[in-house]
Amino acid sequence: MSGNRVESLVDEVQAAFDHRPDEIESGLHTNEADVLQLRKSCRLLAGAESLLDDGFYTIVIETSFVAIERVVEFKLLEGGVEPRDLPGTHPGVYTEAARRGILSEHVAANLQDL
């Protein structure tokens, strides 16, 4: 696959993420950004449980980390961070959580390393 094709596909994915869906997944609708992150975390863990039963261990591990990150984002939003100001990277979420006292520096560094 050429570099141009990859760039084109990445652009298409970005456009899909930028478009608000017409229908929101059942159980996720809320007007509160913090509650949405917590609901996403619960949904991820429910999906992981189903996948665990089928032996998909790698995706269960990955999903579990994303669920942890969503809970940390919930705490950041609950603590007054605006949704548009959430860090845009996985390490950034943990760094900001440590800076605000949500996580210890030690735990934040360990999550970043994992």
Side-chain angles (χ1 to χ4, degrees):
M1 184 179 298
S2 74
N4 290 338
R5 178 73 177 133
V6 170
E7 289 176 12
S8 176
L9 291 172
V10 169
D11 288 344
E12 288 177 33
V13 169
Q14 183 62 49
F17 274 101
D18 289 343
H19 175 71
R20 184 171 175 86
D22 295 329
E23 295 182 31
I24 296 175
E25 184 177 335
S26 176
L28 291 181
H29 183 67
T30 180
N31 291 326
E32 301 173 50
D34 58 344
V35 172
L36 177 60
Q37 294 308 316
L38 198 55
R39 288 181 180 178
K40 284 181 180 180
S41 179
C42 291
R43 185 60 56 96
L44 286 162
L45 292 174
E49 183 177 14
S50 176
L51 293 168
L52 180 61
D53 293 342
D54 291 335
F56 292 98
Y57 306 114
T58 301
I59 198 164
V60 168
I61 293 166
E62 295 284 339
T63 302
S64 298
F65 279 110
V66 175
I68 291 167
E69 187 173 331
R70 294 290 176 254
V71 171
V72 173
E73 288 177 338
F74 163 77
K75 294 298 291 178
L76 288 169
L77 291 164
E78 183 184 53
V81 173
E82 291 296 320
R84 69 181 173 278
D85 296 330
L86 283 173
T89 65
H90 302 293
V93 168
Y94 301 122
T95 299
E96 185 64 16
R99 191 180 77 72
R100 291 175 175 265
I102 295 168
L103 299 173
S104 70
E105 293 284 337
H106 176 75
V107 169
N110 283 343
L111 286 169
Q112 289 172 344
D113 287 344
L114 292 171

